[in-house]
Amino acid sequence: MYWITGILGLILAIGPYLFGYSSNVAALWTSILIGGATFIVSLAEALQADRQQWEYWTAAILGIAAIIAPFILGFGNISSAMWSSIALGVLIALFAGSKVFTTGRT
């Protein structure tokens, strides 16, 4: 599951250039920071020998942050930025959250 959240994080990080909202500073840096952090957390999960749940909790929190960021940071008026952040945030939160709640505690 970590590879799915990693790919989604990477898409979120490069989203400003893919979807054409790189001119908005708030949307640009929000996407880069949240997407990059999600990618790094997913990479950490991939490289660890002992499987823990903190990576999925962190990815789920980052997904929720991506969902609410357009409204808090004021780029909700840019539809491509808002919808890509919300859609990718929902997917990240769902995939990471499903892993948290379907596996036993370690």
Side-chain angles (χ1 to χ4, degrees):
M1 191 72 68
Y2 56 83
W3 60 274
I4 294 174
T5 57
I7 291 170
L8 292 171
L10 189 61
I11 293 170
L12 183 60
I14 62 173
Y17 304 103
L18 289 175
F19 305 120
Y21 58 89
S22 61
S23 61
N24 185 291
V25 177
L28 171 72
W29 284 106
T30 299
S31 294
I32 289 173
L33 293 175
I34 292 176
T38 303
F39 179 76
I40 290 169
V41 166
S42 298
L43 184 63
E45 173 67 18
L47 297 176
Q48 278 188 338
D50 60 336
R51 300 292 180 202
Q52 297 179 359
Q53 298 247 335
W54 70 267
E55 296 93 347
Y56 292 114
W57 277 103
T58 305
I61 291 167
L62 288 167
I64 293 168
I67 295 167
I68 63 174
F71 308 106
I72 292 175
L73 299 175
F75 59 90
N77 58 340
I78 303 169
S79 63
S80 61
M82 180 183 71
W83 287 113
S84 65
S85 184
I86 291 172
L88 291 167
V90 165
L91 290 173
I92 290 168
L94 283 176
F95 282 114
S98 71
K99 187 68 174 178
V100 167
F101 292 112
T102 58
T103 57
R105 292 184 180 216
T106 56

